[in-house]
Amino acid sequence: MLAASTLDGNVELWDTTTTTRISTFTGHKDRISSLAFSPDGLLLATGGYDFTVYLWDVVSGLPIHSLESDDHYVDGIANLTFSPDGSFLAFHGADSVSVWDVALWEPIGDLDEHRHPTSLVFSPDGSLIILGTLGGTINLWDFMADKSHILETENLYSPWINDVAISSDGLLIASAEENGYTRLWGVPSD
């Protein structure tokens, strides 16, 4: 399956084998800025320029839950991502990151990130959220314990982190920086 957003705030679900549209999800009042499938493919999360997040049942096409973020950002809800086991959903706006329990649809934690998050990913074991920031730092956030570890460049010039990724063994983080460089970071053991 492929999920694609339309300019009117709908999401179209496509069968990639037959190239046919399966269904259309409607609910957002503005364009979609981010979307993500759960690891099992049964749920779709969408975030929009209307600062809402919807959780959809892929089979029925109906919304299961929704919420409105109070972290308003010109680009809406950004970088929705599910934890590897599908238990948690994380997303960010301009200045904070939110994590929600998918089954209970309750907030687990919020991180006020005043360096403006630009990207996020869960660690392979789901225990950390790794954030790239406008300030050129990588934040490793243990959202269950509400502890953070900041990795900073040694340069005076702090480049914008465009994207972050973590290796499948959870030992290395790669950051793509706006200056064209890619940096590898070791994950601290503490």
Side-chain angles (χ1 to χ4, degrees):
M1 284 186 287
L2 170 73
S5 62
T6 64
L7 289 176
D8 57 2
N10 295 330
V11 176
E12 295 179 345
L13 197 62
W14 292 80
D15 181 321
T16 57
T17 306
T18 63
T19 64
T20 56
R21 185 173 53 216
I22 300 167
S23 59
T24 301
F25 303 168
T26 59
H28 283 281
K29 294 175 179 69
D30 203 343
R31 293 173 295 146
I32 308 293
S33 51
S34 184
L35 45 83
F37 279 107
S38 62
D40 62 9
L42 298 177
L43 299 173
L44 178 68
T46 59
Y49 286 83
D50 57 1
F51 307 105
T52 59
V53 173
Y54 279 91
L55 192 63
W56 305 87
D57 179 294
V58 170
V59 175
S60 71
L62 298 174
I64 300 170
H65 298 290
S66 66
L67 66 96
E68 184 171 339
S69 173
D70 58 1
D71 183 7
H72 287 198
Y73 178 47
V74 68
D75 291 330
I77 301 297
N79 293 302
L80 285 161
T81 187
F82 283 91
S83 62
D85 67 359
S87 298
F88 302 107
L89 176 69
F91 59 90
H92 72 78
D95 294 314
S96 67
V97 178
S98 297
V99 181
W100 283 67
D101 182 299
V102 172
L104 301 175
W105 201 244
E106 293 179 353
I108 297 299
D110 287 304
L111 177 66
D112 290 329
E113 177 54 69
H114 299 289
R115 296 173 192 220
H116 305 292
T118 57
S119 56
L120 62 88
V121 66
F122 277 94
S123 62
D125 66 2
S127 66
L128 297 174
I129 294 177
I130 296 91
L131 312 170
T133 70
L134 265 178
T137 62
I138 306 291
N139 189 336
L140 286 71
W141 179 37
D142 179 339
F143 59 95
M144 294 302 271
D146 198 23
K147 294 181 185 176
S148 286
H149 185 94
I150 306 288
L151 303 175
E152 297 190 66
T153 63
E154 296 173 5
N155 302 341
L156 293 175
Y157 171 67
S158 296
W160 174 332
I161 306 293
N162 288 329
D163 203 2
V164 290
I166 188 164
S167 61
S168 60
D169 61 9
L171 298 177
L172 289 175
I173 296 169
S175 62
E177 301 172 359
E178 56 89 21
N179 59 9
Y181 289 100
T182 299
R183 189 182 307 265
L184 290 178
W185 310 75
V187 175
S189 58
D190 55 351

